[in-house]
């Protein structure tokens, strides 16, 4: 039998994967007994895993109601994307100063994995897209930077499951390849521009700005059919 810490890690990782792949939807309740039964672990193990997920911003706990998959507001989502762009700009700066050859091998292997599932499984594509950015941050060798990038990337994945219109895996894989090549060339300006455009497109798909919802604005779209 695995020890307590190992079991907590496993349950944490499985729940996190289920959230990022949109199997567990924002707002869904996570009863400790039900989770424990499904994974064959105690409620104590589940509770520790849920606390870790709460610290990562993926789960919220409500008094006398238990744990739920987080539902970030649009304002919070905008703030998270702003912080992410700042952090990933620093990742690019560090990597363009130098990266071990093994790093490029790992990045290219990851992109090949993304390419295999491209257009076949959007939830998995979203998870892999996020993991590419986490891998970039880990390759900086700065564990503090990597930890913060990992948190905001995971929270962005949750935001995408809540607000995104769609996920363009084809664009993501292509831009990831472009980022790798710019880093390989040591072209910080080019790599930063691609990353900024890439993250801007991701945030754009999340529809974080308020949409008009008056009856006039809704019906005006359909009214245009009368003139066609």
């Amino acid at each position: 039998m695995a020890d307590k810490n190992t079991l907590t890690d496993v349950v944490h990782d499985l729940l996190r994967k289920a959230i990022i792949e949109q199997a567990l939807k924002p707002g869904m309740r996570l009863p400790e007994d039900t989770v424990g039964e499904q994974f064959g672990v105690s409620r104590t193990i589940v509770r520790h895993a849920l606390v870790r997920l709460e610290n990562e911003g993926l789960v919220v706990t409500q008094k006398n109601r238990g744990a739920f998959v987080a539902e970030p507001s649009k304002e919070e989502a905008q703030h998270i994307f702003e912080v992410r762009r700042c952090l990933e700009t620093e990742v690019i700066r560090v990597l363009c100063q130098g990266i071990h050859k093994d790093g490029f091998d790992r990045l290219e292997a990851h992109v090949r994995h993304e390419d295999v599932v491209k257009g076949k499984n959007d939830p998995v594509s979203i998870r892999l897209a996020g993991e590419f950015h986490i891998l970039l941050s880990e390759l900086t060798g700065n564990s503090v930077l990597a930890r913060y990038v990992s948190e905001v990337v995971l929270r962005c994945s949750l935001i995408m499951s809540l607000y995104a219109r769609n996920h363009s895996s084809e664009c993501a894989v292509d831009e990831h390849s472009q980022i790798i090549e710019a880093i390989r060339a040591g072209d910080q300006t080019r790599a930063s521009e691609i990353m900024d455009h890439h993250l801007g497109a991701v945030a754009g798909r999340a529809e974080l700005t308020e949409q008009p919802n008056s009856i006039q604005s809704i019906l005006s779209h359909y009214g245009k059919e009368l003139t066609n």
Side-chain angles (χ1 to χ4, degrees), residues 31-47:
E32 292 175 4
D33 53 352
T34 302
V35 175
E37 288 171 6
Q38 291 302 308
F39 292 149
V41 299
S42 69
R43 292 181 62 174
T44 301
I45 295 294
V46 175
R47 192 174 302 121

Side-chain angles (χ1 to χ4, degrees), residues 151-174:
E151 179 179 329
V152 296
V153 167
L154 291 171
R155 294 178 75 178
C156 283
S157 296
L158 175 62
I159 289 164
M160 295 303 288
S161 73
L162 186 59
Y163 295 115
R165 299 190 304 273
N166 57 64
H167 173 69
S168 177
S169 56
E170 187 167 344
C171 292
V173 176
D174 182 56

Side-chain angles (χ1 to χ4, degrees), residues 85-105:
R85 292 173 92 157
C86 292
L87 290 172
E88 297 219 46
T89 296
E90 176 62 10
V91 168
I92 291 296
R93 185 190 69 79
V94 174
L95 292 180
C96 283
Q97 290 180 347
I99 175 175
H100 193 278
K101 180 182 182 300
D102 174 62
F104 288 115
D105 293 339

Side-chain angles (χ1 to χ4, degrees), residues 113-130:
H113 190 189
E114 288 187 90
D115 197 52
V116 168
V117 302
K118 182 173 64 179
K120 300 175 183 176
N121 191 323
D122 280 352
V124 173
S125 290
I126 289 174
R127 175 173 60 80
L128 290 176

Side-chain angles (χ1 to χ4, degrees), residues 18-41:
I19 291 171
I20 299 308
E21 291 190 354
Q22 304 177 15
L24 293 174
K25 305 291 186 183
M28 188 174 286
R29 187 165 177 265
L30 302 171
E32 292 175 4
D33 53 352
T34 302
V35 175
E37 288 171 6
Q38 291 302 308
F39 292 149
V41 299

Side-chain angles (χ1 to χ4, degrees), residues 26-201:
M28 188 174 286
R29 187 165 177 265
L30 302 171
E32 292 175 4
D33 53 352
T34 302
V35 175
E37 288 171 6
Q38 291 302 308
F39 292 149
V41 299
S42 69
R43 292 181 62 174
T44 301
I45 295 294
V46 175
R47 192 174 302 121
H48 287 312
L50 291 173
V51 167
R52 287 178 58 183
L53 289 167
E54 185 171 20
N55 289 337
E56 293 171 346
L58 299 179
V59 164
V60 295
T61 301
Q62 299 179 13
K63 188 175 182 180
N64 300 323
R65 296 193 65 211
F68 296 79
V69 179
E71 295 182 276
S73 67
K74 288 192 175 184
E75 181 181 21
E76 181 182 0
Q78 288 175 324
H79 292 165
I80 290 169
F81 270 105
E82 288 168 4
V83 170
R84 178 176 177 178
R85 292 173 92 157
C86 292
L87 290 172
E88 297 219 46
T89 296
E90 176 62 10
V91 168
I92 291 296
R93 185 190 69 79
V94 174
L95 292 180
C96 283
Q97 290 180 347
I99 175 175
H100 193 278
K101 180 182 182 300
D102 174 62
F104 288 115
D105 293 339
R106 293 173 63 189
L107 288 168
E108 289 167 352
H110 187 91
V111 169
R112 286 195 296 271
H113 190 189
E114 288 187 90
D115 197 52
V116 168
V117 302
K118 182 173 64 179
K120 300 175 183 176
N121 191 323
D122 280 352
V124 173
S125 290
I126 289 174
R127 175 173 60 80
L128 290 176
E131 289 176 353
F132 172 82
H133 293 265
I134 292 172
L135 176 57
L136 279 175
S137 69
E138 291 173 347
L139 292 173
T140 66
N142 184 327
S143 61
V144 177
L145 179 59
R147 185 171 73 247
Y148 284 124
V149 169
S150 178
E151 179 179 329
V152 296
V153 167
L154 291 171
R155 294 178 75 178
C156 283
S157 296
L158 175 62
I159 289 164
M160 295 303 288
S161 73
L162 186 59
Y163 295 115
R165 299 190 304 273
N166 57 64
H167 173 69
S168 177
S169 56
E170 187 167 344
C171 292
V173 176
D174 182 56
E175 290 181 339
H176 287 174
S177 295
Q178 292 177 38
I179 289 168
I180 293 172
E181 290 312 307
I183 293 173
R184 191 193 302 274
D187 191 339
Q188 182 180 336
T189 299
R190 174 66 176 155
S192 296
E193 287 175 350
I194 298 170
M195 179 67 80
D196 191 62
H197 176 272
H198 177 59
L199 296 182

